[in-house]
Amino acid sequence: RIVMFGGGNGSDLLRSGTDNSEVWELKLRVGWEDNLVDSLPWRWNKLHNGENDDSAEPTNRLSSAETLCLGRCHSSCKVSPDKVVIMFGSGRPSTNGIIAFDLDRNAFHRPIVNGIVPKPRFTGTAVCLEEGYILTHGGYSTQELDAISDMDILDLSAALDRRFDSMPVDLRRPSHAEVTDAHAEANRSYRSRAIFQLMFTGLMGMDNRTAALFREHDEELRGSASEAAEDGNDGSSDSDFEVEEDD
């Protein structure tokens, strides 16, 4: 089977469309390896309805912040035969969150992560290394409205108390605040206002009112991040995983 996580739509990554947190599988019929044509038709099945999946078990329901990990331009790596790690993603706001999916149980798993928390981002890249690390690079932060050029290392075996020696690691870099449910909910409210404004004006482009709305939302996100920093929230917690940043 092929499993598809979330995504998004819209003609502009930042200003149109919506993020999606559904999980689907494409079931391939027996014999597809030997004769692809004869194995047709294949069938789509929905495994999870996303944030508002009331039919899911309570432990398998996604919070507003968790849905961002499945939004547009997220990164994902299959780290074992039955586990997929999904991180970052979503346009407004971007997230620095991480969630995992159990392919055997078709259920979400929440790894606890500690260490230096990266900047929220989407459109970055990620690769799983044989040594049990996930290396991520680049992306774009909608909170800072800027491209990201750093690299981050996620240690999937932090209990081994090992060091990543392939490249120099800067352990003195600041940790960034985690993107919370409040940030995600503010994003939903912002989108509703922006869509209403576009419908009201009847314009395909962005008028002055809508442009001001985007600027207002950017200031709200930056203000929330500043409040989190003042509260001393470094985004870290006890964990089986560990994040290190490479300069």
Side-chain angles (χ1 to χ4, degrees):
R1 65 173 178 166
I2 298 174
V3 181
M4 181 176 67
F5 299 97
N9 58 23
S11 59
D12 185 304
L13 287 177
L14 294 178
R15 296 184 177 90
S16 67
T18 58
D19 291 294
N20 190 305
S21 56
E22 298 173 349
V23 181
W24 289 77
E25 69 169 356
L26 180 61
K27 292 288 288 185
L28 310 183
R29 294 178 61 189
V30 176
W32 69 269
E33 303 100 323
D34 300 322
N35 194 316
L36 196 63
V37 175
D38 287 348
S39 70
L40 299 175
W42 301 340
R43 180 176 180 178
W44 282 106
N45 298 310
K46 184 184 286 188
L47 302 178
H48 199 284
N49 289 322
E51 180 180 4
N52 299 316
D53 191 354
D54 295 333
S55 64
E57 294 293 327
T59 56
N60 200 32
R61 295 175 185 171
L62 295 174
S63 68
S64 297
E66 289 172 339
T67 62
L68 300 178
C69 296
L70 281 77
R72 68 190 74 189
C73 303
H74 63 256
S75 298
S76 62
C77 291
K78 188 178 181 181
V79 299
S80 72
D82 62 348
K83 290 292 191 302
V84 175
V85 172
I86 310 165
M87 62 181 67
F88 307 150
S90 287
R92 284 182 176 268
S94 306
T95 185
N96 50 12
I98 295 176
I99 196 167
F101 191 81
D102 189 315
L103 296 171
D104 282 346
R105 300 188 300 112
N106 290 330
F108 287 101
H109 170 67
R110 295 166 176 83
I112 304 173
V113 181
N114 65 17
I116 298 174
V117 180
K119 288 182 181 180
R121 69 192 69 191
F122 75 143
T123 70
T125 60
V127 61
C128 187
L129 306 180
E130 292 182 357
E131 298 87 345
Y133 297 96
I134 294 179
L135 173 65
T136 70
H137 173 62
Y140 186 87
S141 173
T142 57
Q143 282 86 323
E144 297 186 1
L145 300 178
D146 197 11
I148 299 172
S149 59
D150 58 18
M151 292 184 179
D152 302 284
I153 287 290
L154 177 64
D155 187 351
L156 301 177
S157 300
L160 298 179
D161 193 24
R162 57 183 180 169
R163 292 294 301 273
F164 182 76
D165 298 325
S166 299
M167 290 182 286
V169 175
D170 183 2
L171 298 177
R172 297 172 297 176
R173 296 177 67 178
S175 185
H176 295 268
E178 294 179 350
V179 175
T180 65
D181 287 343
H183 293 136
E185 292 298 333
N187 169 57
R188 181 177 292 109
S189 174
Y190 148 78
R191 282 192 181 280
S192 297
R193 287 182 290 160
I195 291 172
F196 172 79
Q197 182 64 45
L198 287 172
M199 292 176 61
F200 180 77
T201 58
L203 300 176
M204 295 299 293
M206 185 186 300
D207 65 0
N208 291 334
R209 288 186 179 181
T210 308
L213 192 58
F214 282 111
R215 287 194 297 270
E216 176 187 342
H217 179 63
D218 292 333
E219 291 172 359
E220 289 176 359
L221 289 179
R222 287 172 176 166
S224 298
S226 298
E227 291 175 4
E230 291 174 0
D231 292 339
N233 177 16
D234 64 357
S236 62
S237 57
D238 294 335
S239 172
D240 296 330
F241 290 176
E242 184 171 353
V243 177
E244 297 177 344
E245 291 205 18
D246 176 45
D247 197 2

